[in-house]
Amino acid sequence: APSPQEDPVLIRPLRGHKAAVTGVAFDANAAGMVTCSVDRLLILWKLKTPCSAYRFSGHEEAVTSVEFSPDGQVLASASHDHTVRLWIPCIHGESSVLKGHTASVRSVSFSHDGYSVVSTSNDKSVKIWSVYCQRLLFTLFQHTGWVRCAKFSPDGRIIASCSEDKSVNIWDTRNKICVNSFSDYEGFPTFVDFNPSGTCIASAGSNNTVKLWDIRTNKLLQHFKVHRAGVNCISFHPSGNYLITASTDGTLKILDLLGERLIYTLHGHKGPVLCVAFSKGGENFASGGMDAQVLLWKTNFDTLDYEEVLKHNFRRTCVDDPPHLLDVYPRSSHFHGEKRESVEVS
């Protein structure tokens, strides 16, 4: 079996939010992380020891999504208060408000050049905003249900969006039209993202599944049914070889996309896990849940030679497999001699 340091390890829990943690994102160099919550706050965590944190308030309702711009100079957040906010991530935390949606905003995400953000809403629209002019550029209409999530492709030419109308739509950002649509009949897609090369999209489903589609051939590539409840969020490892999933069943799972199998199940949250993200280099990842906790993890496994991983891990694509070595439960020894188990925000 692999030695313990090769498995993902919980570095520490971060406690500062007073309600469910709905979003998490790392800055460009993984020195900082931002989280958002139903408690209406954003918290910017400086991860250097000793860890410090800053609270940003401004949203009038639950915050649903948060992301750093690629250069780390701007934060974007979305809220049930119908707005998107752009923040300068400093101690003062000034923000500007983007108004245009007429219902709860469910997600916000930057283009890879940092010039635009895309937001989605219960008003059934997808909106693209200019970060520097702080104004609406255009709106995409075609979904017939609440739009849960949208992301730009790495080259910025397309946007993928997913909705409770059970579809994942692919939009051409130049012509501003929907050029393709994938359907998920057994449930609705809750989250969507592009792999790092931009060749395929992964969608998380309310029906416990994760699907990967090739956007060049429009084929369903992979279909994982490894969770016992809805999947709320996914994040690609920067190598493109692994996908981490967060589920209402209380676990995070790491999928090996090359071997098409589940390799790790991570326990640590009490209750549904709502969000997860790898750091930009993939060394760490963080998760947030209904328990108001943020868990910061060390990835470890991505440094192994891939052949070694294949030797140790056997095929697991079915949820009913018995627990085994690669079910990772946080132990107190995983706190790296840290006396405090959490970071309180003053």
Side-chain angles (χ1 to χ4, degrees):
S3 57
Q5 69 269 22
E6 293 170 353
D7 297 330
V9 159
L10 180 66
I11 299 171
R12 58 157 90 103
L14 303 171
R15 297 190 183 98
H17 285 295
K18 301 284 189 284
V21 179
T22 52
V24 58
F26 285 88
D27 69 8
N29 56 14
M33 189 175 78
V34 64
T35 55
C36 65
S37 167
V38 171
D39 67 13
R40 307 179 182 188
L41 298 175
L42 276 65
I43 297 182
L44 179 62
W45 308 86
K46 299 287 189 186
L47 299 175
K48 298 273 180 273
T49 40
C51 182
S52 59
Y54 306 100
R55 280 198 180 108
F56 296 166
S57 63
H59 281 296
E60 292 164 17
E61 298 290 340
V63 190
T64 54
S65 175
V66 68
E67 196 171 87
F68 271 99
S69 62
D71 64 6
Q73 300 299 301
V74 184
L75 284 172
S77 60
S79 168
H80 284 315
D81 67 12
H82 302 190
T83 70
V84 170
R85 279 181 183 252
L86 299 175
W87 310 77
I88 306 301
C90 64
I91 288 178
H92 308 298
E94 301 99 358
S95 67
S96 53
V97 185
L98 303 180
K99 291 182 175 167
H101 283 296
T102 56
S104 296
V105 188
R106 301 300 291 265
S107 82
V108 66
S109 186
F110 281 89
S111 59
H112 290 242
D113 61 12
Y115 294 153
S116 310
V117 293
V118 58
S119 61
T120 68
S121 167
N122 288 1
D123 66 14
K124 305 178 187 174
S125 75
V126 177
K127 289 184 183 290
I128 292 79
W129 313 80
S130 163
V131 172
Y132 295 100
C133 304
Q134 298 184 8
R135 65 179 183 87
L136 181 65
L137 295 175
F138 56 95
T139 302
L140 302 173
F141 289 109
Q142 183 153 318
H143 283 297
T144 56
W146 292 356
V147 193
R148 295 288 294 252
C149 179
K151 296 280 172 41
F152 281 94
S153 61
D155 64 10
R157 289 185 193 178
I158 57 177
I159 286 170
S161 64
C162 68
S163 164
E164 295 193 14
D165 65 15
K166 302 191 174 185
S167 68
V168 174
N169 283 359
I170 306 297
W171 310 82
D172 181 317
T173 54
R174 284 169 292 189
N175 306 334
K176 307 180 182 33
I177 56 168
C178 180
V179 292
N180 200 0
S181 191
F182 301 107
S183 284
D184 196 330
Y185 295 109
E186 311 104 60
F188 61 85
T190 56
F191 195 92
V192 67
D193 203 3
F194 286 86
N195 70 341
S197 66
T199 56
C200 77
I201 53 167
S203 71
S206 66
N207 62 326
N208 317 355
T209 66
V210 174
K211 293 182 176 180
L212 275 82
W213 314 82
D214 187 315
I215 56 173
R216 299 161 300 184
T217 62
N218 302 329
K219 294 275 195 303
L220 178 64
L221 294 176
Q222 293 182 359
H223 183 181
F224 292 93
K225 203 154 189 173
V226 293
H227 281 290
R228 298 174 192 274
V231 184
N232 299 311
C233 189
I234 52 185
S235 179
F236 277 99
H237 186 269
S239 67
N241 296 337
Y242 305 98
L243 188 71
I244 190 162
T245 60
S247 169
T248 297
D249 68 13
T251 68
L252 297 149
K253 289 182 188 272
I254 296 170
L255 305 175
D256 160 21
L257 300 179
L258 297 182
E260 291 199 53
R261 61 188 170 319
L262 169 61
I263 54 172
Y264 291 106
T265 297
L266 307 177
H267 305 263
H269 285 283
K270 300 167 188 70
V273 193
L274 302 179
C275 54
V276 65
F278 275 108
S279 60
K280 299 295 177 278
E283 314 87 356
N284 295 331
F285 58 94
S287 56
M290 206 80 97
D291 56 9
Q293 284 201 105
V294 178
L295 301 182
L296 179 64
W297 305 79
K298 188 161 161 43
T299 303
N300 287 333
F301 65 84
D302 67 321
T303 55
L304 282 180
D305 175 50
Y306 193 72
E307 290 305 308
E308 287 297 304
V309 176
L310 290 184
K311 252 187 270 178
H312 290 311
N313 298 334
F314 42 86
R315 197 168 186 85
R316 286 185 80 206
T317 49
C318 156
V319 275
D320 292 315
D321 286 352
H324 68 113
L325 287 169
L326 300 182
D327 270 297
V328 179
Y329 287 86
R331 297 189 299 275
S332 51
S333 62
H334 280 175
F335 292 115
H336 298 310
E338 188 86 10
K339 296 289 181 291
R340 298 164 305 159
E341 288 203 353
S342 67
V343 175
E344 295 295 343
V345 185
S346 59

